[in-house]
Amino acid sequence: MSFPPFLCFFFFVSFLPLSTPLTSSPYLSPTIFHPNYQKMTQNFKIYAYPPPETLSFDSQVESLFYSSLIHGHFITQNPEEAHLFFIPFSFHSGLSARAAAYVVGNYRTEFIYWNRTLGADHFFLSCSGIVHGADRNVVELKKNSVQVSCFPTTAGLFIPHKDVSLPPLANVHAPVHAPGRKSSSYLGYVKYNWVKESNIKEQLLADPEFEVESEPSDQVTYEERLAGSKFCLFDYGPEISAIGEAMSFGCVPAVITDRPIQDLPLMDLLTWQQIAVFVGSSGGVNEIKRVLGRVVMAEYEDMRESAAVASKHFVWNDTPQPFDAFHMVMYQLWLRRHTIRYAEREWA
């Protein structure tokens, strides 16, 4: 079986050689992205099934995506012109497989559209994910429908070649990207909860090339720390949600991980090895410094510029703006609009 290039990237993102030539573009396909984006904004149509009486979500970013979708121009009242169908699950405190099966069963009975593709042209929003189940409706939902999840996603409940992760909601964002070379006081910055591994944190604290914020401080602002460091170090975990904030201030993300990361936001759009560094934990801080040092010597300015360009796609707005996070999620869904229409006899 062969996969398109952006799918193959899932399996080796953290093992790419640092000698890969970089350009100032962070995009996988820079020449076709903007024409495709324009087609998406003009033509993409979503039909949303009737929502439950009470609709609530587990996170602010889910609520913001839902509000932007339902009140935006992508929604159509004519399901025959829809490219994709949206299932409005309510996920407050999670959704059981039994409840999901009930909802899907109702939609497949009342509407004709699920059975045409067994859910392959449907998507749903869930940060908590839906556990696996034996019911036919849950099997089809998990196997065929696109799950839009929060980043980082719940382990075991995200399928890389199919699902989409939401760019995390940023608390701060640089208002204007300043071009030119960056003057940095530190090689790396680590916020007090970004790195959990105790040995690495102790080594970072002892190294003068890294600024480690051991606890929240009002002496130097968070924004100044981001702007004053070449790299921002993260473990792969909940704290990596600040990755967009770091990029907007010119702090190139350095992600400490011992396995390939399969759920990075905007994987269909961005060439992540051009905007972030991925390094294992086994070599400790010496290995981290060696890898970051090679980047500084060879390609840091390109990476910083690319990260700053990409950071605009991590911005969420109450009213969606062109090329922001909401539109980039819609763009990834647009790329998934071509579906296989499964035969009903496959389930006979």
Side-chain angles (χ1 to χ4, degrees):
M1 179 182 294
S2 62
F3 296 94
F6 71 84
L7 299 185
C8 298
F9 176 62
F10 286 124
F11 302 105
F12 60 86
V13 63
S14 61
F15 305 106
L16 285 168
L18 292 174
S19 58
T20 304
L22 298 177
T23 68
S24 58
S25 173
Y27 303 112
L28 284 168
S29 303
T31 58
I32 67 171
F33 165 55
H34 285 86
N36 273 350
Y37 176 86
Q38 295 301 327
K39 291 180 182 178
M40 183 270 294
T41 58
Q42 295 168 11
N43 301 317
F44 196 21
K45 294 299 178 184
I46 304 291
Y47 180 78
Y49 288 113
E53 292 184 5
T54 302
L55 187 62
S56 58
F57 301 98
D58 290 330
S59 69
Q60 185 180 353
V61 70
E62 285 175 292
S63 180
L64 190 54
F65 174 81
Y66 177 78
S67 176
S68 299
L69 173 65
I70 295 302
H71 298 109
H73 74 278
F74 294 108
I75 293 294
T76 177
Q77 302 303 316
N78 180 9
E80 293 298 333
E81 70 175 11
H83 298 94
L84 294 179
F85 296 80
F86 174 62
I87 305 173
F89 289 124
S90 183
F91 279 95
H92 184 63
S93 300
L95 183 75
S96 67
R98 182 177 181 181
Y102 177 79
V103 172
V104 172
N106 283 343
Y107 287 145
R108 82 183 310 149
T109 300
E110 297 178 22
F111 300 88
I112 64 172
Y113 309 106
W114 182 276
N115 289 327
R116 295 194 308 191
T117 65
L118 303 186
D121 55 359
H122 288 55
F123 70 99
F124 63 97
L125 179 62
S126 169
C127 281
S128 55
I130 296 177
V131 298
H132 297 275
D135 186 280
R136 166 184 175 172
N137 294 316
V138 175
V139 171
E140 291 176 1
L141 182 71
K142 294 288 295 182
K143 174 185 175 183
N144 301 333
S145 301
V146 178
Q147 175 178 293
V148 179
S149 301
C150 295
F151 173 75
T153 60
T154 304
L157 300 181
F158 184 89
I159 302 176
H161 67 273
K162 175 179 68 67
D163 297 336
V164 172
S165 62
L166 296 168
L169 192 64
N171 294 314
V172 296
H173 198 277
V176 178
H177 167 53
R181 299 183 68 85
K182 175 181 178 179
S183 177
S184 303
S185 302
Y186 295 94
L187 176 64
Y189 166 57
V190 185
K191 196 174 181 180
Y192 61 94
N193 61 346
W194 282 358
V195 174
K196 301 293 188 184
E197 211 283 315
S198 58
N199 289 334
I200 290 181
K201 181 175 284 190
E202 289 176 5
Q203 293 173 37
L204 289 170
L205 283 167
D207 195 308
E209 291 192 74
F210 292 94
E211 182 180 29
V212 181
E213 183 185 355
S214 57
E215 59 183 22
S217 172
D218 295 327
Q219 300 300 314
V220 181
T221 68
Y222 174 53
E223 292 89 338
E224 289 172 331
R225 294 178 190 274
L226 293 177
S229 301
K230 286 185 168 63
F231 298 93
C232 285
L233 274 65
F234 301 91
D235 279 337
Y236 176 72
E239 289 72 26
I240 200 175
S241 60
I243 196 168
E245 299 173 3
M247 292 193 299
S248 74
F249 284 91
C251 195
V252 174
V255 183
I256 303 171
T257 178
D258 293 314
R259 62 177 180 82
I261 300 176
Q262 301 181 346
D263 63 342
L264 287 165
L266 312 184
M267 289 287 281
D268 306 338
L269 174 69
L270 301 177
T271 305
W272 270 94
Q273 74 267 35
Q274 291 192 6
I275 60 178
V277 179
F278 300 87
V279 59
S281 65
S282 59
V285 168
N286 287 337
E287 176 64 11
I288 293 172
K289 289 180 66 175
R290 185 186 69 82
V291 172
L292 298 186
R294 287 174 58 191
V295 173
V296 170
M297 292 293 293
E299 54 210 11
Y300 174 75
E301 288 301 324
D302 272 346
M303 294 190 76
R304 183 179 70 85
E305 291 288 336
S306 293
V309 170
S311 70
K312 67 182 180 181
H313 304 310
F314 285 72
V315 178
W316 288 93
N317 298 291
D318 291 333
T319 300
Q321 302 297 317
F323 298 102
D324 68 0
F326 169 73
H327 281 95
M328 292 303 98
V329 175
M330 296 305 295
Y331 182 76
Q332 292 184 102
L333 292 170
W334 165 256
L335 296 178
R336 287 158 170 76
R337 71 194 184 280
H338 299 300
T339 58
I340 300 171
R341 295 187 179 272
Y342 297 91
E344 277 290 325
R345 58 183 174 81
E346 292 184 15
W347 283 93

